[in-house]
Amino acid sequence: MKKINILKNSRDFTKIIKSKKPYKSEHFIIYIDKTGEELYHFGISVSKKIGNAVVRNRIKRQIKSILDKKDYKKGFNCIIIVRKSLLDLTFNEMEESLFEQIQKLKIEKEKAE
């Protein structure tokens, strides 16, 4: 995932979380904020309750690599908050779960055939 597509500023996280309705699943809580920009941004939040820094960073890297596999529409900010139940999943199960949520949110580009 390119640096330009990553949300890091805590003000952005706070603004989106306070103003938008969450989409909850068993393993993720996702907030979407539509913007008029030409870019999309993802922010990933892994709580200290999940594990130590090594575990949290591994989960963030895995989620970034999963998100890299798809193309997305422009003009949104997305915050993904990881729940503790994600620790029980394998990488492939995590990928399926996240793609399922992305499909429900309709932020993925349609494939041109």
Side-chain angles (χ1 to χ4, degrees), residues 5 7 16 30-43 67 71-80 102 105-109:
N5 293 337
L7 270 181
I16 293 169
I30 300 176
Y31 293 86
I32 293 281
D33 180 29
K34 303 287 184 194
T35 63
E37 296 178 16
E38 285 295 311
L39 293 172
Y40 59 87
H41 298 99
F42 283 100
L67 292 172
D71 287 331
Y72 301 98
K73 296 177 181 176
K74 295 177 182 174
F76 70 88
N77 292 334
C78 178
I79 295 178
I80 300 171
I102 288 172
L105 296 172
K106 297 179 177 140
I107 57 175
E108 186 182 356
K109 276 186 183 175

Side-chain angles (χ1 to χ4, degrees), residues 29-65:
I29 301 172
I30 300 176
Y31 293 86
I32 293 281
D33 180 29
K34 303 287 184 194
T35 63
E37 296 178 16
E38 285 295 311
L39 293 172
Y40 59 87
H41 298 99
F42 283 100
I44 302 166
S45 176
V46 184
S47 170
K48 285 187 176 181
K49 294 176 186 175
I50 303 290
N52 63 15
V54 175
V55 172
R56 294 193 313 266
N57 286 329
R58 179 177 49 86
I59 290 172
K60 284 188 230 174
R61 282 194 314 273
Q62 288 175 334
I63 290 174
K64 285 177 190 176
S65 76

Side-chain angles (χ1 to χ4, degrees), residues 3-4 8 14 27 37 39 46-47 51 53 59 62-63 68 82 87 95 97-98:
K3 278 188 176 184
I4 198 165
K8 287 198 175 190
T14 307
H27 309 295
E37 296 178 16
L39 293 172
V46 184
S47 170
I59 290 172
Q62 288 175 334
I63 290 174
D68 253 355
V82 175
L87 291 173
E95 187 175 38
S97 178
L98 189 55

